[in-house]
Amino acid sequence: MMLLTIRIEKIGLKDAGQCIDPYITVSVKDLNGIDLTPVQDTPVASRKEDTYVHFNVDIELQKHVEKLTKV
C-alpha cells in the first residue's frame, strides 16, 4: 500500500508581509465534504519574502491512497 506525501514549499499572497504566524491546514474530503483523513496543520511558516510565505514542509496523508474513496 502507498502513502501520499505532499510537499508545501511556498504560497504566493499579495499581502504576504502582513500575515502573522501563517500556517496551512490540509484536509482530504469526499464529494459530500466528509473528512477522509485527519486534518493537519503545517508548522508556522519559516519566512516571508515579498509576496511569498515559505513553509518547506512535507505533509503525509494518514490513510493509504488505495483506501481513499474513488470518484
Side-chain angles (χ1 to χ4, degrees):
M1 298 209 148
M2 190 170 37
L3 290 173
L4 177 63
T5 301
I6 300 170
R7 176 81 176 160
I8 301 174
E9 291 185 13
K10 64 184 177 181
I11 186 170
L13 303 169
K14 70 178 180 181
D15 58 349
Q18 296 177 15
C19 294
I20 299 170
D21 296 334
Y23 65 94
I24 294 176
T25 299
V26 177
S27 63
V28 179
K29 299 183 182 283
D30 67 10
L31 293 174
N32 297 315
I34 302 201
D35 287 322
L36 297 177
T37 64
V39 175
Q40 299 180 70
D41 292 332
T42 66
V44 172
S46 57
R47 67 188 169 105
K48 296 180 271 185
E49 177 182 284
D50 298 324
T51 59
Y52 293 99
V53 179
H54 296 262
F55 290 93
N56 296 315
V57 296
D58 291 329
I59 298 290
E60 187 173 278
L61 297 186
Q62 301 299 308
K63 194 169 192 177
H64 291 101
V65 173
E66 294 83 2
K67 294 194 179 198
L68 294 175
T69 305
K70 292 185 168 93
V71 179

